[in-house]
Amino acid sequence: MSEIQEINLNKFKVKLADTDDPVASKVSWNPVNPGGSNFKYQKMTILDDKIIIKKTIGAYIFALVFTVPGILALVIGGPYFLLFNSHIVLGLFMIVWGGMFGGVGILMLKKDKNFTIDKFNGSYSRGKEFDNLNSQDRFKQGYIKDIYAIQLINERIKSSSSNGGSSSYTSYELNLVFKDGERINIMDHGKGKDIADSAKYLGKFLNVPIWKAQY
């Protein structure tokens, strides 16, 4: 596996004493996707000359916690109270609540499509297979040769509960960096060791440096 190069940061700039690579000072060290889960949301699967990053079973279960109750309330609860019990307000509430709750779950199921890095044809793609005829939107697809480095960032996330309490956790990002400083995020969840191990393997697979932000 490739070694992770730690880069000490302050609030204003990268301390270049830690690296002589000019791209490290040009790239942003803020999260690409603020927020993130506190559990292992994605996993890396290795298949010969191909790496696939996909959602875990836990991510699907989490999405279904929203989807199933929402759909039940929308298609069963709402019509039942409206048509058979004449509880118009409760029926409308079930339909609105079910639509919103179920919609959130469906969006979670559809987002974060598989991200594939194919060394055989020298490409990466999100969702669909790489298409030479498509526009080169880096977020959707591109060429491995354009990937300059791997960036690791951690973010402290605070949340509050209805009883006035609060909690916090750390979410970790794994980003691909290009020579012009642009970045795309390919992994983002709360298990730092899994993110670091994935970065080490990916760094060796792509033969690029790995930069980790130290605050």
Side-chain angles (χ1 to χ4, degrees):
M1 292 184 178
S2 295
E3 293 300 317
I4 296 176
Q5 180 182 8
E6 295 182 347
I7 299 178
N8 289 308
L9 306 179
N10 58 31
K11 292 182 179 179
F12 305 102
K13 63 180 180 180
V14 176
K15 296 179 180 178
L16 293 179
D18 297 309
T19 177
D20 58 0
D21 195 314
V23 177
S25 61
K26 180 167 59 175
V27 70
S28 170
W29 288 89
N30 294 318
V32 174
N33 295 326
S37 66
N38 61 353
F39 61 93
K40 187 176 179 179
Y41 184 80
Q42 296 153 305
K43 65 179 181 178
M44 177 180 287
T45 302
I46 302 162
L47 303 171
D48 296 326
D49 286 337
K50 186 180 291 186
I51 286 179
I52 303 174
I53 296 170
K54 59 180 69 175
K55 287 186 285 192
T56 62
I57 293 176
Y60 284 104
I61 292 174
F62 183 73
L64 289 173
V65 168
F66 289 83
T67 307
V68 174
I71 291 177
L72 290 176
L74 179 64
V75 303
I76 298 177
Y80 173 78
F81 285 107
L82 284 174
L83 299 176
F84 300 104
N85 281 1
S86 299
H87 292 296
I88 297 177
V89 174
L90 184 56
L92 291 175
F93 170 79
M94 294 288 283
I95 291 174
V96 172
W97 180 87
M100 293 175 62
F101 213 66
V104 169
I106 291 171
L107 286 176
M108 287 192 289
L109 288 172
K110 295 181 68 175
K111 69 173 291 193
D112 296 321
K113 298 176 181 178
N114 289 357
F115 189 92
T116 303
I117 301 174
D118 191 336
K119 208 170 185 180
F120 180 76
N121 63 16
S123 68
Y124 68 83
S125 58
R126 194 185 303 269
K128 298 180 180 179
E129 292 185 359
F130 182 81
D131 185 355
N132 285 301
L133 300 178
N134 268 350
S135 61
Q136 294 305 301
D137 180 350
R138 281 177 174 170
F139 176 79
K140 295 180 180 178
Q141 65 173 35
Y143 294 100
I144 289 177
K145 63 181 178 60
D146 296 328
I147 300 172
Y148 188 80
I150 294 168
Q151 181 191 54
L152 297 178
I153 296 176
N154 62 73
E155 176 189 10
R156 196 67 183 166
I157 299 172
K158 296 182 179 180
S159 60
S160 58
S161 60
S162 57
N163 62 8
S166 63
S167 61
S168 64
Y169 62 91
T170 302
S171 181
Y172 303 85
E173 278 193 0
L174 192 162
N175 303 319
L176 300 182
V177 180
F178 300 91
K179 197 167 185 178
D180 60 2
E182 188 176 355
R183 305 170 298 159
I184 60 171
N185 173 254
I186 61 173
M187 296 185 81
D188 184 7
H189 61 69
K191 299 300 180 182
K193 186 179 184 304
D194 288 313
I195 291 282
D197 289 343
S198 296
K200 289 177 182 178
Y201 191 92
L202 186 57
K204 182 179 180 180
F205 185 82
L206 298 175
N207 192 29
V208 296
I210 305 165
W211 300 331
K212 180 181 178 181
Q214 291 289 94
Y215 300 95

